[in-house]
Every structure is written in C-alpha cells, then in structure tokens.
Amino acid sequence: MTRSMIAVFFLFCLTILCTRSTKHDQDFPLVVITWDYFNATEKAWKVINDESRSALDAIEEGCSLCEELQCRKTVGYGGSPDELGDTTLDALIMDGTTMDVGGVGGLQNIKQAISVARKVLDNTMHSLLAGELATKFAVGLGFKVESLQTNESKAMWQDWKENKCQPNYWKDVSPNPQKNCGPYGPLKSDFWNTQDIATCNVGPDNHDTIGIIAIDSQKNIAAGTSTNGKKFKIPGRVGDSPIAGAGAYADSTVGAAAGTGDGDIMMRFLPSFLAVEEMRRGASPQKAAETAVNRIAEHYPTFFGGVIALNKNGQYGAACNGMDRFPFYAINPRLNTPTLTYVPCTKGQTTKKSMTPLVTMLP
C-alpha cells in the first residue's frame, strides 16, 4: 500500500470517527420534563446548554420557574389545599453522580420547595426533611416565610366544604366520609363497610407533579420533582414526589427516571428506581418506563400516572396508564427546541407488549 493510499485511508477513518463523535455530541446535554411545561423546559435548557451549568442547576431552576408560575395550580403555592385549607409542598433533587439526595415533604409557608430540597442535598447529610421543622430549616438558611394560601385556593377549599367535603381520602370511619365532613373516628359498627367507597378524581388537574431528568455536558445525570400534592388531602400526607426511587431517581452510570400521577399508589412500587434498574439490565428507556408502569397496573389497573426515563446514551422515552395520552417535553442539541411528545397510554389494562410508538409534536 502506497503512502498516498495510507493517507487517504487514515483521512477516511478520521472522518468516520469525527462524524460519529459529532452525532453522539448532538444527544447532550439532554432535558426531559413531564407534562406540557414549555416554560420550565426552556428555562432548564438555558441553564444546562446556553450557560453550560450542571444538570442539578437545570432541574432546580426549571422546577423553581414552575413553582413561581403555579403550573396548573398543582405545582407551587396557591393550589391543592388540604382538608384544613392549607397548601403544603413536596420536592426532591437527586445527584446521580454522587448518589446524594435532598428532599422536603409537607413543607409549610416556604414557596421555593425545590431550592429547599437543594439545600438539604448540598448542606446536610440527610436525605429528607418534613413538615414545620423543614420550614424552620429553610428559614435558618435565609428563605422567606410566606403563606401558601391564596384567595383562589381558599375559595376552592370553601366550595369543597360546602359540598360536604367531597371527595376525600377517608375510608372505614364514622361518620360516613362519602356523605359527611369530619372529624372522623373509628367505626362503631360495620355499617359503613357495606357502602361503596367513592374514588377521588386523580388526574391532570389533581396531582400534576413536574418531574425533570437531565444529562449535562459533563455526562452527569440528575433528577428532580416538585408538587403541592393532592387536593383536599388529609393534613400530614406526603406523596411519592420527595421519595428517592418513587418520585425520581438518578444514576449517572445508567440513567434517570421520574414519575407523576397518583403518588399514594405509585410510591408503593418505586417506579423511578425500577425504571433505572431495568435500563441497567439493558432495556431501552421506553421499555423501562413501560415495565415500571405495568408493574403498578398489575395491582391497580385503573391507576393514573406516567413515568419518563432517559439513559446515559441520551435516549429517552415514557409510558403511562389511566389516561388517553401523556405529554412530555424533551430537548437536546439535535432537537434544538423544546419538543412536545405524546405517548399513548394503557387505560386500565396491563400489557406485556410494547406500547404504540411515540408521537412527536413541535410547539
């Protein structure tokens, strides 16, 4: 082989390698967000791409914007009042490189739940703080005490009271919770056990967590959530969102996942952890999300919820149950703009077959 032939062959190989490298680089950074939260996606992308900051920063600022905008009144202050009319917040942020976690549950009178969770991550050796003592922790670090109740959330609560506190989350108590407000106590007979238990309406307008998963330019993976939980929940209730492995989970050697929906059911199955472990076993993100959703649906066929997932290679997907379709946003250099995708859902039926391919819609 002549020198010229060797040179041509070398240039050919170099071109192939560079092309592959460029194509791979187009997959990073990557941000995937539950639901149709365009503004939060745009904000997270600006942080992680334009400003070349970390996945943790992108998640914190994307969630923070949704908290500020009161996304669908299910994230941030002024939404989902509990039985006493108060709004409380849950949030989580997880570093998939260090495996450190910061979470807050039932946070009172502090609007910036995801930022308090970030302080738990950065400034403590704990993983979760809850309730009024989480508020005290936040105040000690400079957060402002503010009421999370608004005129709108107060009116929502008053309407609920006038409707005899329907729906609510009590069962097997007296008086009959499907016809009366509390206070409730233990049953004195089995009379109410014979009554049908009404189901609470859990859907996009009741418990709509923002979940964000991301890979930054250094290939660090992180995950996070923020929500104000279910409308008219029993005071003290904490859902899946601030629980690592339930609301979200990240491992930079594998990928990340986040869930949204009926947290009281979903947290029993750690769907985010399961999705990441399925990817560790070689499943694609969509297949991993399907497995996590189907595991829940085997026991609760009509549950409402969705899971998003991404792997370390920059692939992503989602699965859902109990609704017609589940929207989520994704953006990377290849997409170049926040891209809205809809995945069809199973509706009260489990399936071991692959779900219908994703349908992508540009904003």
Side-chain angles (χ1 to χ4, degrees):
M1 184 178 290
T2 65
R3 289 184 177 180
S4 60
M5 292 176 65
I6 293 174
V8 170
F9 179 74
F10 175 77
L11 288 173
F12 174 77
C13 292
L14 184 62
T15 300
I16 294 297
L17 289 172
C18 289
T19 301
R20 288 180 177 176
S21 177
T22 300
K23 183 177 179 181
H24 184 70
D25 287 346
Q26 289 178 344
D27 296 327
F28 304 104
L30 170 64
V31 175
V32 183
I33 296 184
T34 57
W35 304 110
D36 53 351
Y37 296 141
F38 174 84
N39 292 331
T41 309
E42 189 176 53
K43 178 64 175 180
W45 182 245
K46 179 181 179 182
V47 170
I48 205 170
N49 185 68
D50 299 353
E51 300 174 5
S52 298
R53 292 162 60 193
S54 71
L56 287 170
D57 290 339
I59 286 166
E60 180 182 1
E61 297 203 18
C63 286
S64 289
L65 182 61
C66 222
E67 292 170 349
E68 181 183 341
L69 295 176
Q70 301 171 276
C71 288
R72 290 191 185 177
K73 297 298 190 295
T74 61
V75 179
Y77 70 100
S80 300
D82 64 17
E83 286 189 343
L84 299 177
D86 297 323
T87 295
T88 55
L89 308 178
D90 298 339
L92 168 77
I93 190 164
M94 180 170 184
D95 186 332
T97 299
T98 65
M99 304 306 290
D100 290 336
V101 173
V104 288
L107 182 68
Q108 305 169 352
N109 299 318
I110 303 290
K111 290 184 177 181
Q112 302 82 12
I114 189 66
S115 293
V116 178
R118 180 71 183 270
K119 292 297 185 184
V120 176
L121 174 79
D122 289 341
N123 301 124
T124 82
M125 298 175 68
H126 299 311
S127 295
L128 178 65
L129 300 180
E132 61 181 304
L133 295 180
T135 298
K136 186 175 181 179
F137 165 81
V139 170
L141 291 176
F143 288 87
K144 181 182 177 181
V145 174
E146 301 175 87
S147 173
L148 302 182
Q149 188 182 70
T150 62
N151 290 336
E152 184 175 356
S153 67
K154 185 176 181 180
M156 192 185 308
W157 174 71
Q158 288 174 334
D159 289 343
W160 176 76
K161 294 283 284 187
E162 291 173 3
N163 189 41
K164 298 183 179 180
C165 303
Q166 304 302 310
N168 60 58
Y169 295 91
W170 291 89
K171 65 179 183 178
D172 295 339
V173 292
S174 179
N176 184 351
Q178 306 312 323
K179 297 180 180 180
N180 303 277
C181 292
Y184 304 105
L187 283 172
K188 294 187 171 78
S189 71
D190 291 334
F191 178 75
W192 298 121
N193 279 331
T194 64
Q195 308 303 304
D196 291 333
I197 296 176
T199 57
C200 293
N201 182 22
V202 179
D205 297 323
N206 185 10
H207 196 56
D208 196 359
T209 304
I210 180 172
I212 306 181
I213 50 180
I215 309 176
D216 61 31
S217 58
Q218 303 301 311
K219 307 301 188 293
N220 295 308
I221 299 177
T225 64
S226 182
T227 184
N228 54 36
K230 289 181 176 178
K231 293 178 185 175
F232 316 126
K233 56 185 174 283
I234 297 172
R237 181 262 187 187
V238 175
D240 65 317
S241 295
I243 309 299
Y249 195 77
D251 184 336
S252 293
T253 67
V254 180
T260 179
D262 190 343
D264 289 304
I265 290 175
M266 296 179 72
M267 70 192 300
R268 301 167 192 175
F269 298 88
L270 299 179
S272 297
F273 177 77
L274 177 57
V276 171
E277 291 307 296
E278 285 297 305
M279 289 187 287
R280 192 188 305 277
R281 288 158 47 90
S284 69
Q286 184 173 346
K287 287 286 189 180
E290 288 177 13
T291 297
V293 167
N294 288 342
R295 180 72 59 82
I296 304 170
E298 288 174 5
H299 298 271
Y300 298 90
T302 61
F303 94 95
F304 172 91
V307 172
I308 55 173
L310 61 76
N311 65 20
K312 65 180 181 180
N313 299 319
Q315 299 171 313
Y316 58 90
C320 49
N321 190 80
M323 56 188 124
D324 290 331
R325 59 181 187 170
F326 173 48
F328 67 94
Y329 265 110
I331 183 169
N332 61 16
R334 190 191 303 275
L335 295 171
N336 196 39
T337 186
T339 302
L340 184 61
T341 298
Y342 290 91
V343 58
C345 303
T346 53
K347 291 179 286 186
Q349 296 180 354
T350 59
T351 176
K352 293 184 179 180
K353 296 181 180 180
S354 177
M355 296 180 184
T356 307
L358 303 179
V359 179
T360 302
M361 300 288 291
L362 292 177

